[in-house]
Amino acid sequence: MMLPGLIYFLLFKYLPMWDLLIAFKDYQPALGFWGSRWVGMAHFERFFSEPIFWQLFWNTAILAVYNIVLFFPLPIIVALMLNELRIQWFKRTVQTFIYIPHFFSIVVVVGITYVMFTTEGGIVNEGLASLGADKINFLTGPEWFRPMVTLQVIWKETGYGTIIFLAALAGVDPTLYEASKIDGASRWHQLWYITMPAIKSTIVILLILRLGNFLDTGFEQILLMINALNREVGEVFDTYVYTNGITQGQFSYSTTVGLFKSVVGLILVVAANQIARKLGEEGVY
């Protein structure tokens, strides 16, 4: 039963890692992988010396922090709220409705955003205008780019993200709640002293795994939301790789940027795992 999964990871995760060597070569498709000239750390030196490097780093890091701080706790909170519902049909109905956005393509999500927030007939701006307020350039204003991208992620993924936490909550021994009721514990005390400790290890593991993708901000979403007016705050590593690797054919240089992201993710995972173990948690390994 493990064989399909092992084959998948071998073919699509481990074998492609060999091609990371082109980050240290001046890769030319005509010369092939082995025929291209070895340049060592030249691409890394170029990347770190580029004036745009720190702009890319801070744009990516700020979006990543938004996702960690604003998005990551929400599936936990929603799962706890759903767990408190006692009317099963209502609980299942709510779950169905909050799961649906996950199955929408990000293109559809961005399209809905444009329909709702555009200054030309958008529902939100038309509502503001009807109240006598000025229309707001949600889609072109640099100050709105990060909140809009984060809100899209929250709306699309919060409901689906509750699945793992609801599964963890389902494993809590119900006799613990019954015993706490006999001892006079309120619903708040049950939540704080029984429910939260039961899912704490799940929260820690998912947080560590999310840190591994810290600099992955969603290429398709950013590419669709970015424009000439908000590019200063919207350009991230993923779009930079696309511009240099696909549109300009700088394969070695774009691989260097991707490798840098992977190394940062690895460092964050190892550091977070060590901190978790020192605090008494199991960690990922």
Side-chain angles (χ1 to χ4, degrees):
M1 293 180 67
M2 293 176 60
L3 188 59
L6 292 174
I7 293 175
Y8 167 79
F9 280 99
L10 179 65
L11 292 179
F12 296 103
K13 301 297 182 181
Y14 288 99
L15 288 181
M17 291 176 67
W18 180 259
D19 293 332
L20 290 176
L21 283 175
I22 68 173
F24 304 95
K25 288 174 169 281
D26 182 17
Y27 178 70
Q28 301 295 329
L31 298 176
F33 183 80
W34 297 109
S36 299
R37 183 170 58 92
W38 182 271
V39 295
M41 302 295 291
H43 296 302
F44 290 92
E45 293 173 1
R46 173 192 167 188
F47 177 51
F48 294 135
S49 62
E50 287 278 4
I52 199 175
F53 170 76
W54 286 110
Q55 178 185 334
L56 294 172
F57 180 83
W58 287 117
N59 287 346
T60 307
I62 291 172
L63 277 175
V65 170
Y66 274 32
N67 283 334
I68 293 292
V69 175
L70 300 178
F71 167 67
F72 182 78
L74 288 180
I76 304 171
I77 296 171
V78 174
L80 292 173
M81 294 172 66
L82 289 172
N83 189 60
E84 293 298 314
L85 294 177
R86 295 295 177 260
I87 305 175
Q88 290 302 312
W89 68 265
F90 180 70
K91 178 179 179 180
R92 289 193 295 268
T93 303
V94 172
Q95 286 179 277
T96 301
F97 277 106
I98 64 176
Y99 289 169
I100 289 174
H102 170 78
F103 300 99
F104 290 169
S105 166
I106 191 62
V107 178
V108 174
V109 175
V110 173
I112 293 173
T113 304
Y114 271 81
V115 170
M116 292 187 64
F117 292 96
T118 181
T119 55
E120 303 298 328
I123 298 173
V124 175
N125 273 307
E126 290 301 321
L128 291 174
S130 67
L131 296 174
D134 295 330
K135 292 185 178 182
I136 301 174
N137 293 320
F138 291 105
L139 302 177
T140 57
E143 70 277 10
W144 286 101
F145 178 80
R146 290 162 182 156
M148 294 297 292
V149 169
T150 306
L151 286 173
Q152 287 175 347
V153 174
I154 290 173
W155 181 75
K156 187 175 187 296
E157 300 296 345
T158 296
Y160 196 76
T162 62
I163 291 177
I164 294 178
F165 298 107
L166 286 172
L169 289 170
V172 181
D173 188 353
T175 59
L176 295 175
Y177 294 108
E178 296 171 3
S180 65
K181 288 180 181 178
I182 295 174
D183 290 337
S186 64
R187 295 285 286 272
W188 172 255
H189 287 114
Q190 292 174 9
L191 173 67
W192 189 253
Y193 293 106
I194 299 176
T195 307
M196 289 302 295
I199 64 172
K200 183 174 66 173
S201 60
T202 303
I203 295 173
V204 171
I205 290 174
L206 290 179
L207 178 59
I208 293 173
L209 294 176
R210 179 166 289 275
L211 288 175
N213 298 319
F214 184 74
L215 296 182
D216 291 333
T217 51
F219 162 71
E220 296 90 348
Q221 180 186 15
I222 302 298
L223 186 66
L224 292 168
M225 289 294 294
I226 202 171
N227 54 59
L229 297 177
N230 60 26
R231 184 170 295 275
E232 183 179 352
V233 298
E235 189 81 65
V236 295
F237 286 127
D238 291 331
T239 55
Y240 187 67
V241 168
Y242 170 77
T243 302
N244 287 273
I246 304 300
T247 63
Q248 298 181 14
Q250 301 182 53
F251 301 110
S252 292
Y253 182 65
S254 58
T255 302
T256 298
V257 181
L259 182 57
F260 167 75
K261 286 176 47 187
S262 299
V263 171
V264 171
L266 176 63
I267 293 172
L268 289 174
V269 167
V270 172
N273 191 76
Q274 291 300 319
I275 293 173
R277 292 180 67 87
K278 288 183 180 297
L279 295 176
E281 298 295 329
E282 292 183 4
V284 178
Y285 60 89

